[in-house]
Amino acid sequence: MIILKLGGSVITKKDAKEPSINYDNLNRIAEEIANSSSDKLIIVHGAGSYGHPFAKEYEIGSKIKDEEDFNRKKLGFSITQSWVKKLNTAVCDSLRENGVLAVSIQPSSFIITKNKRIYSCNLDLINKYLKYGFVPVIYGDVVVDLDESIKICVLSGDQIIKYFGENLKPERVVLGSDVDGIYTKDPKKYGDAELMKKVTSIEDLIAEGSSNVDVTGGMKGKLLELIELAKIGVESEIINAGREGSIKRALNLEKGIGTIVKR
Ligand code: ADP
């Protein structure tokens, strides 16, 4: 089994004002997936411009101040849930049109978190879909949280990767992002950032690039999840899904394309 993440930065235009899909990337990646030899495959995708702007605007996951604030957050929940669902439909359609038997899995319909971490998530249905030869496609969404002070929160695709990796024990976990892997600092901002071929722990990260290592934003959250996964023996690799052929190579079990996160 392979778990593949498609970053929101890859399949959407991340900084667009309105939610918008990067169809060039999406359709090319769907074709690469269809032409790879993966047996059991689960796809997890991020939300990019379909989720983050709304989650931020409505401050979903922050402490609820009063009834009025909760009502506003619920409106934001409903709006965000609707947009990420639209993105998921586009992803599933593109996959199917290219010959992949995609089935949509909506996190907000069956996952509950506690303090923003997955608390309940029944994988029976996903296992059944895999057994029948479907490719389950799940995504970053908004969910109900058991902590009464927040009640709802954002569930990232990266946390889903951690949970699935832990509970389904896949042979490979591949994360496609818009950069070649983990660098000593943000490669979008610093021309002298260096790509790291392997990361084993946060300490190792600090040691490797001396005091200069700086992982921020989405990459930081991603890396923290992947290091937790590595601790329990599940290795993962971050690759650049924006580069033609990289997803296909990774699904065909080629290693060392980007940054490997392992124990
Ligand atoms: P995705 O949507 O692909 O899951 P994000 O957009 O959330 O990923 O995070 C990837 C981004 O993290 C990159 O585009 C990059 O600009 C940023 N980033 C910050 N620090 C680093 C780093 N040290 N190495 C790589 N990327 C980094």
Side-chain angles (χ1 to χ4, degrees):
M1 180 198 300
I2 300 181
I3 300 180
L4 171 68
K5 160 104 192 280
L6 302 178
S9 63
V10 179
I11 56 169
T12 75
K13 295 176 183 161
K14 197 162 70 172
D15 301 322
K17 284 207 179 76
E18 296 291 316
S20 76
I21 293 176
N22 185 330
Y23 279 106
D24 286 348
N25 275 348
L26 177 59
N27 292 329
R28 176 182 50 75
I29 289 168
E31 200 183 327
E32 287 185 32
I33 294 170
N35 292 329
S36 70
S37 58
S38 51
D39 177 20
K40 285 187 173 162
L41 177 67
I42 297 180
I43 296 174
V44 180
H45 68 78
S49 58
Y50 274 69
H52 299 300
F54 306 107
K56 196 172 162 206
E57 182 183 346
Y58 291 92
E59 297 170 294
I60 293 165
S62 74
K63 231 177 155 86
I64 294 164
K65 295 182 200 109
D66 48 31
E67 189 70 25
E68 192 190 339
D69 186 40
F70 187 33
N71 284 334
R72 188 173 171 274
K73 283 185 164 67
K74 281 192 280 187
L75 173 63
F77 185 101
S78 176
I79 292 170
T80 312
Q81 188 201 45
S82 170
W83 278 112
V84 292
K85 195 171 153 204
K86 286 188 186 82
L87 174 61
N88 176 253
T89 299
V91 172
C92 290
D93 285 349
S94 175
L95 285 165
R96 194 189 52 260
E97 281 156 19
N98 281 281
V100 179
L101 293 169
V103 282
S104 165
I105 311 281
Q106 184 184 34
S108 48
S109 69
F110 79 111
I111 297 178
I112 296 175
T113 53
K114 189 175 182 181
N115 294 321
K116 304 189 184 179
R117 301 299 299 177
I118 295 177
Y119 178 78
S120 77
C121 171
N122 186 331
L123 296 170
D124 291 352
L125 186 62
I126 289 177
N127 279 317
K128 246 324 187 230
Y129 277 134
L130 284 170
K131 191 174 166 222
Y132 290 160
F134 285 108
V135 174
V137 185
I138 188 165
Y139 52 98
D141 198 358
V142 280
V143 295
V144 164
D145 193 284
L146 293 180
D147 179 351
E148 283 297 321
S149 70
I150 59 171
K151 292 187 175 67
I152 52 175
C153 74
V154 171
L155 173 64
S156 72
D158 294 326
Q159 191 185 149
I160 296 175
I161 287 282
K162 153 85 186 353
Y163 188 88
F164 279 23
E166 191 174 357
N167 291 282
L168 297 170
K169 294 278 184 292
E171 293 145 52
R172 284 218 76 184
V173 177
V174 176
L175 291 93
S177 190
D178 67 341
V179 288
D180 287 346
I182 296 168
Y183 287 76
T184 46
K185 45 192 161 179
D186 190 342
K188 296 255 180 78
K189 291 186 188 148
Y190 302 95
D192 61 343
E194 286 169 35
L195 181 67
M196 291 185 276
K197 293 304 282 179
K198 193 179 84 181
V199 172
T200 52
S201 67
I202 291 287
E203 295 78 45
D204 166 67
L205 198 63
I206 294 162
E208 193 163 331
S210 69
S211 58
N212 281 333
V213 177
D214 184 23
V215 184
T216 54
M219 195 53 91
K220 188 177 179 186
K222 197 185 311 302
L223 186 57
L224 292 174
E225 299 286 358
L226 298 182
I227 284 175
E228 286 306 307
L229 204 49
K231 278 185 194 163
I232 50 169
V234 182
E235 185 182 309
S236 58
E237 181 165 355
I238 301 175
I239 63 168
N240 192 343
R243 286 193 195 278
E244 198 173 335
S246 66
I247 292 282
K248 187 177 171 187
R249 285 165 62 199
L251 293 182
N252 287 340
L253 304 181
E254 185 178 329
K255 276 192 188 179
I257 303 166
T259 302
I260 293 177
V261 184
K262 64 188 285 192
R263 197 156 43 175

